[in-house]
Amino acid sequence: MRPPLSLLAAFAALTPTVVLAQEGASAGPPVIDTIIFTRDNVFPAEQVTGSTLARAGNAIHVRTAAWVMRSTILFHVGDTLDLSRLRESERTLRALNVFREVSIDTATRNGKLAVLVDTRDAWSLSPKFSIAGSGGDVTLTVGVSEKNLLGTASLLSLAYVKLVDRDGLDVSARVPRIGSRLTIGGAFQNLSAGNTGNWDFGMPYRAFPDPFAVHLKGQFADELRFQWFRQAGTLDSLTYDHYLLSHRLNTSVAALHSSDGYLRVGVDGILRSERYVLQTATPAPVTDSLFTTAGITADFRSSHFIKRRYFQGFGQDEDIDLSPAVHLTLWVAPAFGGYETTGLGPEVTVSAGKELGGSIATGSIQASGLFNSAGLDSGRVVLRGTWAGKLSERTMAFLHVETGAMKGETPGTEFDLGLTYGPRTFGAHAWVGDRTLWGTLEWRDYRWADVFGFLGIGYAAFADYGSAWYDGQDPVWGGNVGVGLRLGSVISSKASAAKIDFGYRFGQGFDGKRLGISFGASYDIFTGTTAPPP
């Protein structure tokens, strides 16, 4: 993607290039004299020459503006060379989700140091179409999304969505952390079960060396909320009218911050008005509430990323995060803030990863709770573990296992396996409860990664098994084994794949059809959840 420095002048006539240079660079420690930005369009020259589709694609696409790149990198002309900042700048540019290739390197010319920042845009204007189904349940999204509006790395999305229990319009927009690090974003859903939305505004952390952050987030809801459960093998639910208006402000400073890691401390505050009105009789209604909560936070992370390909998708660079990280928050829920009694709410997240030869192992634990004079009022704990290994350049396998338990959580937040989470060929709410244990083993071969210059095709085999149940119930276990196809795009900005899976279903108390199909987004290897397809 990058020519030798001796050819830069000739190459500049063919490719948009931006050069920043420092006059009179002095001897001593390596100092950046010049930064050269090269911005390639979606399709390379060899494809444009022989393809009308590629030429049309490049003509339609608005190339990412140079100022987006300048405002995102973590180094400037006159800075002493720091290779760790160059590597993190690569990751930060990829995180904008508008490039299919990012490369940052150095070279010397006439004794002066140049940093070469090369990018190739991803295709950003796309029909927003995804469909997922299993066990007779289908979810659907149809619309259009532009992830790089006018070359500014901004998002605008409009879609019709059909979920299992509601459907309607979904609109979202986001201006990313560029320039002054200011972020503005929001979303609105006008659905048959009610309206929901969220917004955020502020200056979040964009990279490890950032010294501070401040962020205001909000949510609102006027909707129906369903609490699912199974009793004697029959699926049923309670229906609530749910009203929510929430504001959350957090600010923190980095006591230690560099490209090698950080220690951040801060304060967090939430003002939330929330009400649940049960539409049917229940012995434990959820009453109106107005909550004021405050907390102190601490975050530690030591940087450890590795760059790989053909883990999640068809050949894009993937930044796999193995960083040891600890997040701590201590919430104070005072009686005058709307709670029955004053309580303390600790929240802990610990995660880490490690390379094991050619394999990767990651794990995390998330635990939170609210304690008052009567003991544990509510809480949740989830443990996840993943092993992933490359069997060849384009073949990999992974095992993901997770378990969790909760107490006193609000309606609609229970563990819910089926359709997009848990054994994949089962329908929505196949297993529901406040306890869960499940796992998936999958083998993938990204066999054909560049069909017609933009399509990836592969195949897979899988086995899933697990359950979710309420405390006091006996768990009913089930799973599936099967094979499937993997489909993706080599011109997208994110390594991911869609799936079409065929499985044989089995388990205790299972009385449906043995053969099932699951289609939609494939599992994210490290979280066990589905990610949007490319």
Side-chain angles (χ1 to χ4, degrees):
M1 185 166 59
R2 180 188 305 111
L5 279 178
S6 60
L7 299 180
L8 282 175
F11 188 67
L14 301 175
T15 305
T17 303
V18 180
V19 179
L20 305 181
Q22 176 190 26
E23 297 295 335
S26 59
V31 173
I32 298 173
D33 176 82
T34 305
I35 302 175
I36 302 173
F37 297 92
T38 302
R39 303 174 298 124
D40 291 322
N41 215 327
V42 178
F43 296 98
E46 59 269 22
Q47 284 185 259
V48 170
T49 301
S51 171
T52 302
L53 180 63
R55 286 196 299 273
N58 278 358
I60 294 171
H61 177 77
V62 179
R63 196 175 5 243
T64 304
W67 62 265
V68 173
M69 300 162 64
R70 287 197 301 268
S71 62
T72 302
I73 60 174
L74 306 174
F75 53 89
H76 305 88
V77 168
D79 288 352
T80 300
L81 180 65
D82 183 342
L83 294 179
S84 63
R85 287 206 168 214
L86 268 59
R87 290 192 296 270
E88 188 167 3
S89 294
E90 270 196 22
R91 294 193 296 269
T92 305
L93 284 168
R94 279 194 288 271
L96 288 175
N97 203 27
V98 297
F99 301 114
R100 59 183 289 197
E101 296 178 28
V102 177
S103 174
I104 299 180
D105 207 345
T106 60
T108 56
R109 186 183 185 188
N110 299 326
K112 296 181 179 181
L113 178 66
V115 178
L116 313 178
V117 182
D118 292 358
T119 60
R120 180 173 298 284
D121 274 17
W123 185 252
S124 57
L125 176 61
S126 305
K128 193 169 185 178
F129 178 80
S130 66
I131 184 169
S134 60
D137 294 315
V138 175
T139 64
L140 176 69
T141 299
V142 179
V144 63
S145 174
E146 172 56 76
K147 296 187 294 184
N148 196 2
L149 186 65
L150 300 177
T152 65
S154 300
L155 168 71
L156 181 61
S157 173
L158 175 66
Y160 164 80
V161 297
K162 178 189 178 299
L163 306 177
V164 173
D165 55 14
R166 62 194 69 199
D167 70 294
L169 183 68
D170 186 321
V171 181
S172 59
R174 186 170 185 83
V175 178
R177 302 181 306 243
I178 49 182
S180 65
R181 291 172 51 207
L182 182 66
T183 294
I184 304 173
F188 174 72
Q189 299 84 37
N190 176 222
L191 305 179
S192 57
N195 300 326
T196 62
N198 64 76
W199 61 90
D200 65 83
F201 175 83
M203 291 187 290
Y205 292 106
R206 61 171 184 167
F208 280 34
D210 286 343
F212 72 93
V214 58
H215 215 167
L216 175 65
K217 300 180 180 181
Q219 289 180 281
F220 77 90
D222 181 358
E223 60 170 345
L224 298 179
R225 177 71 68 87
F226 302 98
Q227 185 176 29
W228 297 93
F229 58 91
R230 286 188 176 272
Q231 205 161 29
T234 301
L235 179 66
D236 204 349
S237 68
L238 298 175
T239 303
Y240 295 85
D241 291 311
H242 177 222
Y243 305 94
L244 169 69
L245 181 60
S246 174
H247 304 279
R248 180 172 182 173
L249 175 66
N250 65 19
T251 181
S252 64
V253 296
L256 302 172
H257 55 94
S258 73
S259 293
D260 297 323
Y262 57 75
L263 173 62
R264 298 168 178 166
V265 293
V267 294
D268 214 334
I270 299 176
L271 177 63
R272 184 173 82 251
S273 173
E274 190 167 21
R275 181 159 51 102
Y276 288 87
V277 178
L278 190 66
Q279 293 191 348
T280 58
T282 177
V286 183
T287 59
D288 297 2
S289 56
L290 176 63
F291 299 115
T292 302
T293 313
I296 55 174
T297 65
D299 289 277
F300 165 81
R301 175 171 286 191
S302 178
S303 177
H304 184 194
F305 289 84
I306 59 174
K307 187 167 68 174
R308 295 291 185 268
R309 292 190 173 197
Y310 298 106
F311 267 83
Q312 303 274 24
F314 288 88
Q316 295 94 334
D317 287 335
E318 303 176 34
D319 295 310
I320 300 176
D321 188 358
L322 306 181
S323 306
V326 179
H327 166 80
L328 302 172
T329 300
L330 180 61
W331 295 102
V332 179
F336 64 79
Y339 296 88
E340 292 184 4
T341 60
T342 297
L344 295 177
E347 182 180 300
V348 180
T349 301
V350 180
S351 60
K354 187 174 179 59
E355 292 183 85
L356 303 171
S359 303
I360 297 169
T362 65
S364 68
I365 178 171
Q366 296 172 287
S368 60
L370 178 63
F371 294 86
N372 54 31
S373 57
L376 178 62
D377 177 79
S378 60
R380 173 190 292 251
V381 59
V382 177
L383 290 85
R384 295 186 176 96
T386 301
W387 169 89
K390 293 293 288 291
L391 308 179
S392 67
E393 181 190 6
R394 297 190 181 187
T395 306
M396 59 84 61
F398 72 93
L399 172 67
H400 177 85
V401 178
E402 66 178 77
T403 184
M406 66 176 69
K407 175 186 177 182
E409 294 291 298
T410 55
T413 61
E414 302 80 15
F415 299 113
D416 194 338
L417 304 189
L419 186 58
T420 59
Y421 179 71
R424 68 194 72 189
T425 61
F426 289 81
H429 321 306
W431 298 272
V432 183
D434 55 17
R435 305 287 188 272
T436 190
L437 173 62
W438 78 278
T440 181
L441 175 64
E442 185 169 324
W443 170 87
R444 296 181 187 175
D445 190 314
Y446 300 104
R447 178 56 50 185
W448 301 282
D450 195 1
V451 180
F452 307 123
F454 63 89
L455 179 65
I457 303 175
Y459 43 87
F462 63 88
D464 311 320
Y465 192 71
S467 183
W469 65 96
Y470 284 99
D471 188 27
Q473 292 182 336
D474 292 327
V476 176
W477 302 92
N480 46 225
V481 294
V483 296
L485 291 174
R486 295 294 175 267
L487 304 172
S489 171
V490 295
I491 63 173
S492 67
S493 60
K494 184 178 181 181
S496 60
K499 72 173 186 288
I500 304 174
D501 285 338
F502 303 89
Y504 175 82
R505 299 186 286 190
F506 59 89
Q508 296 172 291
F510 178 75
D511 57 4
K513 295 180 180 179
R514 291 293 177 180
L515 297 180
I517 182 172
S518 173
F519 47 90
S522 60
Y523 283 130
D524 183 289
I525 292 169
F526 299 105
T527 66
T529 58
T530 56

